[in-house]
């Protein structure tokens, strides 16, 4: 075989192998086999000795041209492989920044729920049991059994949502008292938290839906002193030992006597501030000795038993507790507000 044929055979084989080379390492091996010191093309150059002297320059030139062409082919293949290897690596290392992170955002407890939990802890610590009642309530429990007969003027004070003639959205948690008295025997010690409804316009201090915590204690020889002691312990436990209670005479059809209770303002601790309008006290609940008429309507003998009841407005104490000045913030679900309570 002449040198020229051999050259084209080498070039042909190399093209074929180049096409199959799939990584830089096999490309390097190919280069050594053809162009290296012991490579096939180098061997051809070495074989020049057997070529007649007058033909040598010509043959030498042809070999060198092949050498250059093959080197160029190798180089461009190397570039291509290097580019592909880099692409593959980048693809493997890529991070999808649009992928949702695996941890869901951690929520917080709503301020109203926080304060409710504290209040319930406080009362369960004093031996009270937590009881709930229905939000859609019979007129009978919401009003009648609480000494608020039809046409009683005090009914007007509670702008009631009527479902029908006999059914209402409960206007307070007091009907749970009636349900408990009718279904249990004294001694009774319960707190009844829940949602209540009134046809009020929404503003900074009113909402058609809000929450109350009802309390009821019935036993032999329960007195007003027990009521005062219980509420005083509650106030101190929740807001601190320096908090005092102030009872003011009031009226509720279901209690006799009745009182409204003020607590030392938790903002100024009694000094007088904007929150308590300079008085040092803030009204937080209504209470009283359960009206004997209510006791007997609910199947409890007023000759043998007596009891006290109270109703706390949850939103009110939550707002005072955290210095929230607009009740709407508590219902709007604005995360900028809620995130402050995490
Ligand atoms: N039910 C009353 C209201 O919604 C609050 C209340 C006052 C509850 C006195 C009581 C109580 O149990 O004794 O305004």
């Amino acid at each position: 075989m002449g040198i020229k044929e051999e050259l084209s055979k080498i070039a042909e084989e190399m093209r074929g192998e180049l096409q199959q080379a799939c990584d830089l390492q096999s490309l390097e091996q190919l280069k050594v086999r053809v162009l290296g010191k012991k490579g096939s093309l180098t061997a051809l150059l070495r074989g020049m000795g057997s070529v007649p002297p007058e033909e040598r320059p010509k043959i030498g030139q042809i070999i060198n041209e092949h050498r250059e062409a093959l080197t160029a082919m190798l180089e461009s293949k190397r570039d291509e492989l290097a580019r592909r290897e880099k692409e593959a690596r980048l693809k493997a290392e890529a991070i999808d920044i649009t992928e949702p992170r695996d941890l869901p955002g951690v929520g917080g407890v709503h301020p109203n729920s926080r304060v409710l939990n504290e209040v319930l802890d406080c009362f369960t610590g004093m031996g009270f049991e937590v009881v709930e009642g229905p939000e859609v309530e019979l007129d009978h429990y919401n009003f009648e059994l609480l000494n608020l007969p039809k046409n009683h003027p005090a009914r007007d004070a509670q702008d009631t949502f009527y479902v029908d003639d006999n059914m209402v959205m409960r206007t307070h948690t007091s009907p749970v008292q009636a349900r408990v008295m009718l279904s249990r025997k004294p001694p009774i010690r319960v707190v009844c938290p829940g949602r209540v409804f009134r046809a009020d316009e929404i503003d900074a201090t009113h909402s058609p839906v809000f929450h109350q915590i009802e309390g009821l204690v019935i036993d032999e020889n329960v007195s007003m002193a027990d009521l005062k002691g219980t509420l005083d312990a509650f106030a101190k436990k929740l807001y601190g030992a320096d908090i005092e209670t102030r009872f003011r005479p009031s009226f509720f059809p279901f209690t006799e006597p009745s009182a409204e209770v003020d607590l030392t303002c938790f903002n100024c601790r009694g000094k007088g501030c904007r929150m308590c309008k300079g008085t040092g006290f803030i009204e937080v609940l209504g209470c009283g000795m359960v009206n004997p008429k209510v006791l007997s309507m609910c199947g409890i003998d007023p000759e043998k038993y007596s009891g006290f009841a109270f109703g706390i407005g949850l939103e009110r104490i939550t707002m005072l507790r955290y210095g929230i000045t607009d009740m709407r913030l508590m219902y709007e679900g604005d995360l900028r507000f809620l995130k402050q309570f995490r």
Side-chain angles (χ1 to χ4, degrees):
M1 206 193 300
I3 281 193
K4 284 187 191 167
E5 283 87 336
E6 213 147 333
L7 269 175
S8 43
K9 192 175 148 235
I10 290 174
E12 195 61 12
E13 279 174 2
M14 184 153 162
R15 247 183 232 113
E17 288 198 49
L18 268 182
Q19 235 156 43
Q20 278 164 32
C22 53
D23 58 58
L24 290 171
Q25 203 191 344
S26 51
L27 198 70
E28 199 50 40
Q29 285 163 2
L30 178 60
K31 184 181 166 189
V32 170
R33 254 186 292 131
V34 180
L35 304 170
K37 261 189 213 156
K38 293 178 183 159
S40 44
L41 201 78
T42 319
L44 271 188
L45 269 177
R46 288 223 176 91
M48 285 286 275
S50 59
V51 175
E54 64 282 14
E55 283 198 301
R56 279 184 201 159
K58 184 105 180 79
I59 298 293
Q61 194 192 345
I62 294 174
I63 293 177
N64 278 331
E65 278 169 2
H66 271 80
R67 194 185 176 82
E68 266 160 37
L70 292 179
T71 306
M73 270 163 61
L74 259 169
E75 230 117 59
S76 85
K77 185 72 181 182
R78 183 188 295 128
D79 288 349
E80 184 196 323
L81 285 178
R83 200 187 65 236
R84 273 206 241 138
E85 278 188 20
K86 186 175 170 190
E87 267 167 18
R89 202 184 66 239
L90 287 178
K91 205 169 163 197
E93 289 174 0
I95 293 170
D96 181 5
I97 57 165
T98 65
E99 183 98 343
R101 62 194 199 111
D102 47 3
L103 269 183
V106 178
V109 178
H110 191 279
N112 241 351
S113 305
R114 283 176 178 249
V115 173
L116 176 60
N117 289 339
E118 287 177 14
V119 171
L120 294 183
D121 275 356
C122 178
F123 281 109
T124 51
M126 291 194 267
F128 283 70
E129 187 188 331
V130 179
V131 177
E132 289 181 313
E135 292 174 358
V136 180
E137 183 59 285
L138 289 166
D139 182 292
H140 186 64
Y141 292 96
N142 194 79
F143 292 126
E144 297 281 338
L145 289 177
L146 297 171
N147 196 27
L148 276 149
K150 291 215 161 60
N151 304 319
H152 190 289
R155 278 201 184 201
D156 295 343
Q158 310 201 345
D159 301 302
T160 312
F161 286 118
Y162 279 90
V163 177
D164 61 33
D165 280 351
N166 298 314
M167 221 185 290
V168 301
M169 301 305 292
R170 67 177 176 194
T171 56
H172 50 179
T173 43
S174 302
V176 189
Q177 281 186 32
R179 287 181 173 273
V180 169
M181 284 189 267
L182 284 166
S183 63
R184 302 184 181 200
K185 294 209 165 347
I188 292 170
R189 264 182 306 205
V190 292
V191 272
C192 323
R195 213 177 274 160
V196 300
F197 308 85
R198 290 190 198 176
D200 277 329
E201 294 289 336
I202 297 173
D203 65 26
T205 54
H206 292 88
S207 160
V209 183
F210 58 103
H211 301 79
Q212 290 184 338
I213 303 146
E214 192 77 16
L216 176 70
V217 170
I218 310 273
D219 203 349
E220 287 175 39
N221 304 315
V222 175
S223 73
M224 191 91 184
D226 297 316
L227 170 61
K228 290 188 79 172
T230 303
L231 292 179
D232 201 61
F234 159 70
K236 288 181 162 55
K237 178 96 191 288
L238 203 60
Y239 294 111
D242 58 327
I243 298 293
E244 294 190 4
T245 43
R246 184 169 79 176
F247 285 65
R248 282 181 290 103
S250 183
F251 172 80
F252 298 103
F254 30 92
T255 44
E256 184 57 39
S258 303
E260 272 169 332
V261 176
D262 304 332
L263 300 189
T264 310
C265 174
F266 354 104
N267 188 44
C268 62
R269 312 306 276 196
K271 283 198 213 60
C273 68
R274 243 184 49 181
M275 218 178 224
C276 58
K277 299 191 182 80
T279 63
F281 281 94
I282 286 176
E283 184 197 324
V284 296
L285 61 90
C287 65
M289 299 308 293
V290 180
N291 192 320
K293 227 171 136 185
V294 171
L295 288 177
S296 40
M297 278 192 285
C298 293
I300 288 175
D301 180 2
E303 298 298 329
K304 186 166 182 212
Y305 296 105
S306 57
F308 63 78
F310 54 87
I312 304 169
L314 178 59
E315 276 76 1
R316 191 162 172 76
I317 56 175
T318 302
M319 288 171 76
L320 294 168
R321 173 66 178 278
Y322 292 114
I324 301 165
T325 50
D326 193 327
M327 199 191 281
R328 287 168 288 201
L329 283 168
M330 293 207 276
Y331 305 119
E332 282 167 349
D334 188 328
L335 288 178
R336 291 170 298 180
F337 171 75
L338 294 174
K339 277 184 175 165
Q340 297 175 54
F341 299 93
R342 270 215 296 244

